[in-house]
Amino acid sequence: MSGLRWRAFQRVPWVWSTWERIWLRFHPVIPIADGSLFAVRRVGKSLELHLDSAALDRMRRGPGYSTFRAVHRMREDLAALAARLRRGDFPGVEEVGGKTLMGEAGAVLGFHTRVARRNLGNAFQQYFQVGLDAVHHPLGLRANAKRRWPVEIWMTTEELLERYPKKSERSSVAR
């Protein structure tokens, strides 16, 4: 059965891009900043973090791409999110989190992580995320990507503000 679902992907990969566009139409996200890799969606007292796969795809295709540059950009995005929280753009938010296939990157960025439970909903999440990765990755559908399982990542807003402190006026101007 597992092989069948991946064969289906190879036959109609456009379905994943369409699925994402439909999902975003009904669950819109707000980019953290212009050109950021992350966007957020408010869900109660939480901000659900979303990776903009098209922005990551553009970054991958650009000159000098490396995983380290992408992680650096994600850190900048989280610093921008912390600045927006300080400004009061998302009042009452208590935590930031999401589900990802890149749990290691979440931990590097300071998130708490745990493997998502094995259930049907998370199986669909895995299939969707692996498919999106394959649509946007230069190598397409990779065997190691198919083995990944979603990881839940989260941190409180206090932790985010502490990990990504306000920059001084001087450091902001220097850049």
Side-chain angles (χ1 to χ4, degrees):
M1 181 69 173
S2 176
L4 176 64
R5 66 184 180 152
W6 299 118
R7 280 196 309 266
F9 171 80
Q10 291 168 334
R11 297 208 192 301
V12 287
W14 56 268
V15 168
W16 274 256
S17 300
T18 304
W19 184 356
E20 181 183 39
R21 280 195 301 277
I22 291 169
W23 191 90
L24 288 173
R25 187 164 194 72
F26 290 100
H27 305 281
V29 295
I30 302 163
I32 290 175
D34 289 338
S36 66
L37 293 178
F38 285 135
V40 292
R41 181 171 81 97
R42 187 165 188 151
V43 180
K45 293 185 181 221
S46 298
L47 284 180
E48 193 176 77
L49 198 60
H50 292 267
L51 180 66
D52 183 340
S53 50
L56 181 59
D57 183 44
R58 285 189 299 276
M59 186 179 193
R60 281 178 176 151
R61 293 175 193 278
Y65 172 79
S66 72
T67 303
F68 296 111
R69 281 190 65 203
V71 170
H72 179 73
R73 177 76 146 304
M74 290 174 188
R75 284 186 196 279
E76 290 174 349
D77 290 351
L78 291 172
L81 178 58
R84 290 188 69 178
L85 285 165
R86 283 186 192 89
R87 273 197 321 256
D89 288 0
F90 302 104
V93 167
E94 295 176 359
E95 76 171 7
V96 177
K99 283 188 186 171
T100 179
L101 297 178
M102 298 180 281
E104 297 86 6
V108 166
L109 295 170
F111 287 92
H112 303 281
T113 64
R114 73 173 159 241
V115 176
R117 292 184 320 152
R118 294 263 175 194
N119 61 30
L120 188 59
N122 287 331
F124 279 120
Q125 184 97 31
Q126 183 237 12
Y127 191 50
F128 174 65
Q129 288 182 354
V130 169
L132 273 183
D133 178 66
V135 166
H136 293 290
H137 197 282
L139 299 176
L141 184 61
R142 295 160 295 135
N144 64 339
K146 293 188 286 187
R147 290 189 296 272
R148 291 189 195 151
W149 187 256
V151 173
E152 297 170 348
I153 62 169
W154 75 96
M155 76 170 76
T156 67
T157 51
E158 291 82 21
E159 289 171 317
L160 179 72
L161 296 174
E162 189 176 302
R163 282 192 173 92
Y164 299 93
K166 183 178 179 180
K167 291 186 177 184
S168 70
E169 185 64 31
R170 187 166 182 227
S171 73
S172 302
V173 172
R175 290 190 168 191

